Amino acid sequence: MLQARAGLLAEVRQFFADRQVLEVETPILSHAAGTDVALDLVTATLDYAGSPRQFFLQTSPEFAMKRLLAAGSGPIYQLARSFRNGEAGKLHNPEFTMLEWYRPGFSMVDLMAEVEHLARQILGVGPIKRMTYAEVFADYLGLNPFFASLGDLQQAAGGLVDAAFESNSRDTWLDLLFSHSIQPHFEEAVFISHYPASQAALAEICCAEDGTKTALRFELVINGVELANGYQELTDPVEQTKRFGDELAARQALGLTINPIDQNLLAALEYGLPQCAGVALGFDRLLMLKTGAESIADVLAFSIDRA
């Protein structure tokens, strides 16, 4: 498995070298943190400037890489050690490797094509099917995720949760249905795109013909494994500031830690982030799919229980 990992690292680096995409490195430690309510952070206290100070281990190199893009780096990629607290299981390890890359001038569709080239070259998958978020809900559950009522979503998820589980968040129920009733049934490689605007994260928003607002976001799922998550990147600093504020308000409502906003990222957006598309791909999961491994622990030299 060590040899397989080394071979895959070399193959990925050659893929980007052939396309003249520059490999970069950014810090694992940061003064600021992400605000996503779904992410629990790993912290470190350092003796900094004569006094103890809290730092955050990156959940993804995204913010720092966007600062490089704004500074004129051009197309870049990184194989980054990333950390997420509380995530351990068949497909999760608190410390993992993220393959992340950004393409100035690319649209979401352009980047999906490049992700497909990578997947076909490394995994030998055939042409990858493309479906929208609305289409997968219609096909697998007979629901329209944009217009279904909260009651409809709760009824569809009735057997997935304890009867005492309560949430008034449509996104909570949509996520539950997608992860448990849809994603596991994908027996081939498929791109899902145009997620609800409420699940945009750092993606741009567009409007469909029926008036629904959707995120220019896609995921790649192969054999039921979520492999990659990509965006046509948001470049508006005002909108990004608002989204950070909304996420912090949601964290507060849930009783979660309020993390400091990354002002360096906002400054980079103010300076000017080029129009671009970016994607984060789980390198360890890619290795799992390539080798047929059943657990992420099988492709790591030392999983968290043996670290």
Side-chain angles (χ1 to χ4, degrees):
M1 193 60 73
L2 290 175
Q3 291 174 340
R5 175 175 286 266
L8 182 56
L9 285 167
E11 194 171 1
V12 165
R13 287 190 163 104
Q14 189 61 54
F15 179 88
F16 289 109
D18 291 343
R19 289 161 175 76
Q20 297 182 312
V21 179
L22 181 68
E23 183 174 8
V24 297
E25 291 184 342
T26 56
I28 288 176
L29 292 171
S30 173
H31 294 273
T35 55
D36 191 328
V37 295
L39 297 181
D40 191 6
L41 306 176
V42 179
T43 61
T45 301
L46 304 183
D47 184 1
Y48 176 75
S51 61
R53 182 167 176 177
Q54 187 179 60
F55 284 75
F56 302 88
L57 276 68
Q58 67 178 4
T59 58
S60 150
E62 179 172 5
F63 291 1
M65 292 182 76
K66 285 182 174 177
R67 290 165 63 186
L68 294 180
L69 289 163
S73 67
I76 52 176
Y77 81 97
Q78 183 170 182
L79 287 153
R81 303 299 284 186
S82 300
F83 302 82
R84 298 182 181 181
N85 203 1
E87 295 197 3
K90 182 179 178 180
L91 295 174
H92 297 88
N93 195 68
E95 178 182 0
F96 61 100
T97 300
M98 184 84 84
L99 168 60
E100 193 151 332
W101 75 95
Y102 292 87
R103 284 293 215 154
F106 271 36
S107 68
M108 178 183 73
V109 174
D110 295 331
L111 187 58
M112 289 168 70
E114 187 163 68
V115 173
E116 179 168 3
H117 290 154
L118 178 71
R120 295 182 72 172
Q121 178 174 314
I122 290 176
L123 301 176
V125 297
I128 298 180
K129 187 176 182 179
R130 285 159 167 74
M131 300 182 72
T132 66
Y133 191 84
E135 286 171 342
V136 296
F137 268 83
D139 284 1
Y140 286 88
L141 297 175
L143 288 173
N144 185 314
F146 296 96
F147 296 109
S149 68
L150 180 62
D152 291 337
L153 299 178
Q154 291 171 331
Q155 183 176 1
L160 301 176
V161 295
D162 186 272
F165 178 79
E166 294 183 7
S167 175
N168 291 323
S169 168
R170 294 184 80 261
D171 281 325
T172 296
W173 293 100
L174 287 171
D175 286 344
L176 184 68
L177 289 168
F178 184 83
S179 61
H180 288 76
S181 298
I182 297 176
Q183 183 175 314
H185 299 296
F186 290 138
E187 296 179 352
E188 56 185 343
V190 57
F191 280 116
I192 304 98
S193 65
H194 297 86
Y195 282 69
S198 55
Q199 299 179 30
L202 287 89
E204 289 186 350
I205 303 296
C206 70
C207 290
E209 291 182 0
D210 61 4
T212 57
K213 290 186 177 181
T214 62
L216 293 177
R217 170 189 170 194
F218 69 88
E219 288 191 359
L220 172 59
V221 178
I222 299 181
N223 298 338
V225 175
E226 178 195 333
L227 183 62
N229 187 18
Y231 309 133
Q232 191 161 310
E233 301 293 343
L234 178 66
T235 60
D236 182 348
V238 175
E239 173 63 17
Q240 187 61 74
T241 300
K242 178 184 179 298
R243 290 192 196 177
F244 281 157
D246 291 344
E247 287 180 333
L248 288 179
R251 291 185 69 88
Q252 186 173 30
L254 293 170
L256 302 175
T257 303
I258 303 302
N259 301 321
I261 290 175
D262 193 332
Q263 298 296 335
N264 287 324
L265 172 64
L266 295 178
L269 295 182
E270 287 280 0
Y271 182 79
L273 180 69
Q275 293 291 327
C276 61
V279 61
L281 185 150
F283 180 85
D284 305 302
R285 294 184 182 184
L286 183 64
L287 184 56
M288 285 177 62
L289 291 168
K290 186 175 178 64
T291 61
E294 296 186 358
S295 169
I296 194 170
D298 297 333
V299 301
L300 302 174
F302 303 104
S303 56
I304 190 63
D305 58 313
R306 300 174 58 240

